[in-house]
Amino acid sequence: MAIISTAGLARSFSTKRGTVDAVRGIDLTVRAGEILGLLGPNGAGKTTTLRMLTTLLAPTGGAATVAGFDLVREPARVRRRIGYVAQAGGVDPQLSVREELITQARLYRLTKAEAALRAEELAHDLDLSDLLDRACVTLSGGQRRRLDIAMGLTHHPEVLFLDEPTTGLDPGSRAGLWDLVRRVRDEHGTTVVLTTHYLDEADELSDRLVVVDRGVVAAEGTPAALKSEYGGSPGASLQDTFLAITGRAPAPDDAIPVAV
Ligand SMILES: Nc1ncnc2c1ncn2[C@@H]1O[C@H](COP(=O)(O)OP(=O)(O)OP(=O)(O)O)[C@@H](O)[C@H]1O
Ligand SMILES: [Mg+2]
């Protein structure tokens, strides 16, 4: 069953210097319970796509359903069923970790007692229990990232969108996050859509990859299928495969024009 389905999803921005076509038409189908890795060079349109799918940004073209509801006509219904961890985290530095988690749970209408319990559960799952009474402002980058992710999971979303969740995490925390993503999917059937620039992570974690380039889907398939098709063999590196798809490989005889 498709839990996300988009057709020609597009977003342009008007700027003083003209129109930026950030996303030019994305066709995407994501199955329930799938872990989908969204790859693409800087500026490809990944964050813009996630911001549309999470109802934070209105599309300027195309259509999409998320968790069974129309993105544009039923945004509130979509919002209740999804969690979103933005590329730049959004915690309030004045609050303690516990207060931040409880506030988030209260936003989702949990009672005070339920919210306090959920804060403890999430802290346990994301290895934040020892930090519950610390002010958010004192957290390290990786600890903050774990808090962002805990907040995205507060209401047991059907679909979890993670924009570069492991940027800035140490190798141990990164491995811990991979385990967590798998556990959330395996135990709750949660669908996960994540972006990353770490190709080892994409390879390890994703059931399927979608490579976005210049605002459109340039390639999609399982990591093995993409490697065979674009990298030359199932044993090719995802790095070479990615470079073959996006054409960003160094090519002395075929210089790529620099975008201005
Ligand atoms: N509010 C905006 N106004 C104008 N242009 C924008 C706006 N938001 C995004 N863009 C442009 O849209 C394009 C896609 O940006 P987006 O953030 O979606 O890329 P991305 O794939 O997430 O990149 P990265 O890997 O660097 O995070 C970029 O050229 C960006 O400059
Ligand atoms: Mg981005």
Short mmCIF file of all heavy atoms in Angstrom, two decimals, residues 46-47 87 163-164, ligand 2:
data_model
loop_
_atom_site.label_atom_id
_atom_site.label_comp_id
_atom_site.label_asym_id
_atom_site.label_seq_id
_atom_site.Cartn_x
_atom_site.Cartn_y
_atom_site.Cartn_z
N LYS A 46 15.76 18.41 -1.91
CA LYS A 46 15.34 17.42 -0.90
C LYS A 46 14.56 18.07 0.23
O LYS A 46 13.45 17.65 0.57
CB LYS A 46 16.56 16.68 -0.33
CG LYS A 46 17.39 15.97 -1.38
CD LYS A 46 18.62 15.30 -0.78
CE LYS A 46 19.59 16.26 -0.10
NZ LYS A 46 20.25 17.22 -1.01
N THR A 47 15.14 19.11 0.82
CA THR A 47 14.47 19.76 1.96
C THR A 47 13.16 20.40 1.51
O THR A 47 12.14 20.31 2.21
CB THR A 47 15.40 20.81 2.60
OG1 THR A 47 16.54 20.13 3.14
CG2 THR A 47 14.70 21.59 3.70
N GLN A 87 16.06 19.92 9.05
CA GLN A 87 17.52 19.90 8.84
C GLN A 87 18.22 20.70 9.93
O GLN A 87 19.24 20.28 10.45
CB GLN A 87 17.84 20.46 7.45
CG GLN A 87 19.28 20.31 7.04
CD GLN A 87 19.51 20.57 5.56
OE1 GLN A 87 18.57 20.70 4.79
NE2 GLN A 87 20.76 20.64 5.16
N ASP A 163 15.33 14.93 8.09
CA ASP A 163 16.19 15.65 7.14
C ASP A 163 17.61 15.70 7.71
O ASP A 163 17.88 16.41 8.68
CB ASP A 163 15.65 17.06 6.90
CG ASP A 163 16.18 17.68 5.60
OD1 ASP A 163 17.05 17.07 4.96
OD2 ASP A 163 15.70 18.78 5.24
N GLU A 164 18.49 14.92 7.12
CA GLU A 164 19.89 14.80 7.57
C GLU A 164 19.98 14.54 9.07
O GLU A 164 20.63 15.30 9.81
CB GLU A 164 20.69 16.04 7.16
CG GLU A 164 20.73 16.23 5.66
CD GLU A 164 21.77 17.26 5.22
OE1 GLU A 164 22.75 17.49 5.94
OE2 GLU A 164 21.59 17.82 4.13
MG MG B 2 18.43 20.11 2.62
#
